[in-house]
Amino acid sequence: MNRTSKIIAKDPGSRSRRSRRSGRTVKNGRTVREDIRLIRRGIREFDKILPGQMRHVLLKSILGACIPLTAVFASAWILNELAQGQRKERLFWLCLFAVGGTFLLSVLKYIQDAKAAVGFSCLFSAHEIFLTQKTHRLPFEVLEMPETDRLREQVSGSISVSGAGMASLYWDMEVVIAGLCRTVAAILLGAGFFRAFFGAPGTAAQGGNSIRLLFPVLCLLTGACVYISCKMAGKHFDISFEVFKRGAEYNRFGEFYTMNYLPDENAAMDARIFSQEGIILRESQEKCYRRFAQGKRHEIRAGNRFDGIRLLSACLCGVFVYALVGWMALSGRIAAGEIVAAYAAVTMLISALSELAQIITDLRNNNEHLLNFFRFMDLPEDEEHLERCLSEKNSGKLQTEEHSGIGPAEAGSGIRLEHVSFRYPGCESWALNDICLEVRAGKKLALVGENGSGKTTLVKLLCRLYRPTQGRILLDGADIWTLPQEEYRRRLAAVFQDFSLFAFSIAENVAASDSYDGEKVQRALREAGLLAKTERLPQGISQPLFHHFSEGGCDLSGGEAQKLAIARAVYRDAKIMILDEPTAALDPFAEAEIYENFGAMSEGKTAFLVSHRLSSCRSCDRVAVFTAGRLVQLGSHEELLEQAGREYLRLWEAQAQYYV
Amino acid sequence: MKYKSKDKSKDKNQNKKKNKNYPGGHFLPSKYLLRGFYDSGRFNIVLPFLICLSAAAAGLLAMYLPKIVLDAVERGAAAHRLFLQTGAAGVLLAGTSLAAMVLRNELELASQSFLYTELTARWERGMLRMDYEAFVSERGKLLAEKARNAISNPNWGAVKFLPGLTAILEALAGLLVCCGIVGTLHPAIVLFLLLLFGVQLWFSARMQKGKQKLKEERAAADRRLNYLAWGMRGRKEGKDIRLYSFDVLLHRIAQRTIADKRAVEGKAEKLQFCNMLFAALLLLLRDGTAYFYLIWRFLHSGMTLGDFTLYFAAITGVGGGLLKLAQAVSDFLETGRYAGDFFEFMQYSMGGAEEKGESRRGLFCSSESETGAAVPEGISFTFENVSFSYYAEQNGEKQEIPVIRNLNLTISAGESVAVVGVNGAGKSTFVKLLCGLLTPCEGRILVNGRDSRSFCREDYFGLFSAVFQKSGFLPVSIAENIMLNVKRKSDRNRSTAERSIAVRSVAESSTAEKSAVCRSAAESSTADLRPERQEAGPEKSSGAHGDKESECRTELFSDCGADGAHRDKDAEVMWECLRRAGLEEKVKALPQGADTCLVKRIAQDGTELSGGQEQKLLLARALYKDAPVLILDEPTAALDPVSEHAVYLDYRRMTEGKTSVFISHRLASTRFCDRILLFSDGRIAESGTHEELLALGGQYAEMFEVQSRYYRDVETGERMEDREEKEGIKRWAEEETGKEKEETARNQGGLGE
């Protein structure tokens, strides 16, 4: 694994040097050995996505390759027997072998088919879930980078759009195995025919030399045919791949419209009122579909050319073989029965070898997709996540830990920010600049400021989602980044403006676990003001939400969803509570209710509240005012109002004038 | 197309659903697709037959080739004759297979082009044109999704319609050839083979039935798995997943779900295995019989070796051909289902217009309504006994959920109205009714005295400019996002004329390709005056298409040279709108200014705006459209107090000479409006100016009190007051959740307008 990741790392730089060294074997800037290494890693990763699947595929393709072979072998033998011996008993057994062998092999293959099909039915979803699980393990700042998102979409796109990447690896392996089997079989099948060239001395007496000379011709022709096949197939694949690669780019646009924008209820209102039809049709056609069509045209026309040459060369080679074999049979060098077998052997050899060559081209091209996959899998991870997942296997553990974990944090001095600065990766300006702030345990702080002044960033820093670029955040005197992540997060309950609910049961949403404490869930719901609603539901707290996952789920209004998110924070029973604009979309009553509950819920807890509604600041002990990443004012609401000409007063007056 | 009474269209669609199983169920969709395919290239329709011919010939030759050689050997023919015969047969074989391959590729190309240039556009148009109410209905969503699925992949679905049909023909032709050969041996063998095949079909139909039973179970498993796989990507949910360690739960649920799916698929595969096993048994029987029969004939009635191979190949050919045929038919039925899905959606989205062959002409606006297109300056609305209900399905029963009840209201021209109320009071539905996105179940809405249903949809939507909640942007430049294809007032008359020309010429244009290109050109240019496109045109659209397109343009609108001049004016207006929305500086600071694309995850060089900035941009877009009616649905929810204040200050100017409706939870905003409507439980509970409503002391006053108390400096006795208020809210909330009818009844009495 390490070695492959090194390859990935140095891939672009070393390309030119390597290609100069050995021009022919390098493809897409990789040598054969590197490609093989990537494929091997791909197979290992595939085994993680669908354990055991590759084995079924192996067996299936070996069996699949053997089935037509028995038939070909048997019919060749039968013909031979008919032409020469005509022993009835022998014919009987040969027939039995032909049909019985096929039958047995088929049954074996169908068993593997069934197993493989079961696995395959999950492949695409399992692949997506595998990727999503990886995103769960990413550090938050990596998750938020647009590059990550794009990489993820590329990886997803390559499998879902044209079955490249892992799916291609899967299919290709099947073909590789089959191709190998067929090559071996072709040589076995043609053994009699090939021997005829150098045949027994007795027959060689009749002009044996000219026959011997024909053998190299046959070999040359077969070789040429295979070579043309490979070359043409390779070219065709390269073009398809090129077209595909560009297609993934266009597909983003197409998918945006078909999957996101057009089916969206809210977007549909805009689309109608603003008559966006023209622009949407134009954009999707121009940026996606027309290019798809052009790419396809290019690909198919190229296919006509390359496949045409391939087909012609194979046909002509076959005719030559027939003529040759026929002539050899005429002159008695081989038995009549060998004619069919010889022809079958040569054509099979050609097709198997060119198939192999094609599939190798495809596999090597596919490595581009695999590389994306590996790049995504190689993104850094939260180290502790792994350990936790491992310990999670025995599920009871979490609960006990959760209870015991709260203990030691209680007696403390609160949260202190020491010269905290933060800059988003790739950004010049500071999102937060030299913030010093202390919030004593049990006190409440309101964070206000204009859009983009750094409030939400600060919240993310507090949640340990970002690491401060400079300075540090202390909890009870200890840098939060030195605490075990789980432990720190367990002391923290946050409700974000853009919280997410999952289509699982209400209780699972509240407890973030399937082994929850029912009473505690109910308590949390009561505190958040949602118990009345849940009690009216037929399944109570185990009622699923929405309709995506389970049937008969319930829908929530904006206010109810917000309350559910708050209940989640309450359930956690943490000492630090963070609310980031929890009421932007709520009506005054719901808003008032939530702030009201906020008072009760955060009683005795350290709390941070971000809000544009300055009215909520009055319920906090202190208010921190941010402008452009700096902390400009700090004090109680009343104190700040007295500071004439400052930011807080400006904000307050802008809003309060309408209510006085 | 005019507004249809939706009850009718609903009935119609229900009928259709019932009729889906009638024998001709595949016929209409097939006709629809074939027709479209034919229009997209006449030669295409010949391809299947050519493919059939060449493939059958190639098959025949491939079977005869070994016979030729074997016969020659057996006869002991001269070498040169052998070479000549094999050579001739071989060349013919090569030629026919080459032809078959190329033709197949061409067919594939033609159907994929059809998919990309036609079907996708049809679907998109359907999505954009279908009645909004149909769009949001469960059925509409389902149909749309099924139709999307039907055209989502170039390798399966509706795109395989013609290739599928060809496969059937091909299989039939191959079968005929083989049957012919076998028939010369003994006709009974053909019957025997057919019989075997019949048995196999019977068995696999039984298995299929078993699989059908699993359908529900499978769908449920798929839905769960799809939700986990595609419903959440881990990014949007990132914060919650991290902070609350949801990953563990998700992991466990995922494992469980995959196991469920495997179990279901396992059952299906078991059936499939039985099916295959049976087929293998029959194959055993067939090949065994064939071998024994042929060997017997060979030994007793002097058959040549060549005949032996030929007949054996033909017998397997018949079996294989039958299987191929069965496969092709079942594939085609599958494809037909996709075609049906697509067709059904198109029907649904057009409200049945396509059936009458109006799809071309009656695109969006009927010609008669264009006469009424002159837009008056002031727009007034009258709601007469308007009611609206949603239908929700619960436990298999349709439940009617009334949202707007018997609403009577007049909004006079130029009036600015604020709409307030708790969540779920019917505010958004009211706005949607007003915009014509929804049509009343009962009663009617009059616009300047004319029934809203008599308007053509596009004209009606043209009356409105809006900022809705949760709007998104397109991955195009900021300028295009603002200007879109909206006609400003001054341009409106001109472009109506353009549209009629465009539509007519589309209908008339003869060659399919041209019509496709023209249509898209017509669409983009009628729809808009995006002159920058004209300039960027040649570079943007590649090669031939670009040329044709511009040709089309000049043909259609020879007098649109004025567009260049419009460009500057439009840009000026756009910047003005940006400035008023408070976004000018931000946009100017971007590296590419207003040409910067939005939606970064799609347009790579794009930018991402914050929530507040997005809302400002939406406002700018609404201002740019400059329609006679302005609707603002919570336009300031994500804005900071200062920006919010700025919007309020500009509000008078924004609504000058316009009819406007402002929805807000911030009661502060309502003061700028001439009248405030308080919605409660689908009715207007209170109505009047801010002062009047405060004096009334009803729900509005209470709401204002709740919101404003913290802003007022009542220092003394605040605690006490607070307590009381808290209790008041709690009591109120309980009442609300308990759906107390009393209050609303009282309100209804007080409404009396």
Side-chain angles (χ1 to χ4, degrees), chain B residues 413-602:
Chain B
E415 193 182 3
S416 103
V417 174
V419 175
V420 298
V422 297
N423 290 332
K427 302 187 300 281
S428 306
T429 310
F430 167 69
V431 164
K432 284 177 195 166
L433 284 168
L434 191 70
C435 293
L437 289 167
L438 300 177
T439 36
C441 295
E442 283 164 41
R444 56 182 192 154
I445 300 169
L446 300 177
V447 180
N448 286 354
R450 180 176 155 195
D451 193 330
S452 64
R453 273 173 253 196
S454 73
F455 281 82
C456 113
R457 224 186 289 179
E458 198 178 354
D459 285 344
Y460 193 78
F461 288 151
L463 299 176
F464 298 91
S465 190
V467 175
F468 294 118
Q469 294 183 59
K470 296 182 194 162
S471 288
F473 294 98
L474 300 172
V476 295
S477 72
I478 291 178
E480 281 177 300
N481 260 303
I482 293 176
M483 303 205 263
L484 290 166
N485 37 19
V486 176
K487 295 165 279 290
R488 289 181 57 77
K489 233 186 274 173
S490 53
D491 309 319
R492 201 164 278 136
N493 295 333
R494 193 171 61 89
S495 51
T496 311
E498 275 177 15
R499 182 171 51 234
S500 59
I501 299 170
V503 171
R504 213 175 307 134
S505 89
V506 165
E508 285 162 9
S509 66
S510 52
T511 68
E513 185 166 15
K514 189 175 160 198
S515 98
V517 174
C518 280
R519 205 174 309 143
S520 68
E523 255 147 24
S524 44
S525 54
T526 35
D528 101 316
L529 318 147
R530 254 174 289 104
E532 72 273 14
R533 175 161 151 65
Q534 198 115 355
E535 286 178 11
E539 301 103 56
K540 263 191 184 170
S541 51
S542 57
H545 268 295
D547 292 346
K548 266 182 211 159
E549 211 163 286
S550 52
E551 201 177 289
C552 255
R553 272 167 179 279
T554 45
E555 223 171 89
L556 290 176
F557 330 106
S558 46
D559 62 339
C560 64
D563 266 10
H566 279 288
R567 183 203 168 120
D568 295 338
K569 216 180 93 200
D570 285 342
E572 226 169 79
V573 177
M574 180 196 77
W575 282 109
E576 167 71 11
C577 294
L578 279 173
R579 198 174 53 70
R580 282 171 67 187
L583 205 61
E584 191 186 21
E585 281 168 33
K586 164 76 189 169
V587 174
K588 280 201 167 139
L590 290 171
Q592 289 162 284
D595 293 328
T596 314
C597 285
L598 291 179
V599 196
K600 194 172 181 182
R601 88 198 143 84
I602 307 298

Side-chain angles (χ1 to χ4, degrees), chain A residues 360-530:
Chain A
I360 286 166
T361 315
D362 191 41
L363 269 173
R364 293 186 74 180
N365 278 334
N366 188 48
N367 275 346
E368 295 283 298
H369 298 285
L370 286 186
L371 266 178
N372 277 340
F373 183 92
F374 300 150
R375 254 178 227 134
F376 186 73
M377 295 319 283
D378 288 340
L379 288 174
E381 292 187 8
D382 277 338
E383 291 130 30
E384 288 162 47
H385 181 93
L386 263 178
E387 295 164 29
R388 190 156 47 82
C389 251
L390 290 176
S391 69
E392 251 1 282
K393 290 272 153 78
N394 29 7
S395 63
K397 225 170 168 180
L398 176 74
Q399 287 302 314
T400 52
E401 268 178 3
E402 210 168 283
H403 290 301
S404 64
I406 301 157
E410 264 165 303
S413 53
I415 288 189
R416 204 164 78 229
L417 279 73
E418 288 180 350
H419 302 283
V420 171
S421 296
F422 182 77
R423 192 158 53 185
Y424 282 94
C427 260
E428 285 294 306
S429 54
W430 293 98
L432 280 177
N433 200 345
D434 197 29
I435 308 291
C436 293
L437 190 63
E438 184 169 6
V439 184
R440 299 201 153 274
K443 295 285 179 188
K444 296 173 189 34
L445 178 74
L447 307 170
V448 301
E450 291 187 33
N451 292 337
S453 58
K455 307 178 300 275
T456 303
T457 310
L458 183 64
V459 165
K460 285 177 182 163
L461 284 171
L462 283 173
C463 291
R464 224 186 110 159
L465 290 170
Y466 295 144
R467 191 192 275 269
T469 318
Q470 284 166 19
R472 52 190 194 142
I473 301 173
L474 304 176
L475 170 66
D476 300 338
D479 189 334
I480 58 168
W481 281 89
T482 61
L483 296 169
Q485 175 168 301
E486 263 315 282
E487 201 189 315
Y488 178 68
R489 283 192 177 158
R490 223 173 285 132
R491 297 184 199 180
L492 192 80
V495 181
F496 295 102
Q497 192 180 353
D498 52 346
F499 59 90
S500 7
L501 298 178
F502 301 94
F504 309 134
S505 76
I506 290 179
E508 283 168 336
N509 268 291
V510 170
S513 162
D514 49 359
S515 48
Y516 49 80
D517 174 353
E519 260 174 43
K520 206 173 152 198
V521 170
Q522 290 199 330
R523 218 161 38 233
L525 287 170
R526 187 179 310 123
E527 267 191 55
L530 201 64

Side-chain angles (χ1 to χ4, degrees), chain A residues 275 282 385 596 618 658, chain B residues 247 485 530 671 710 726:
Chain A
S275 16
R282 185 203 68 183
H385 181 93
E596 212 53 58
R618 299 185 83 171
Y658 302 108
Chain B
D247 46 351
N485 37 19
R530 254 174 289 104
R671 295 196 178 182
Y710 286 113
K726 271 178 207 167

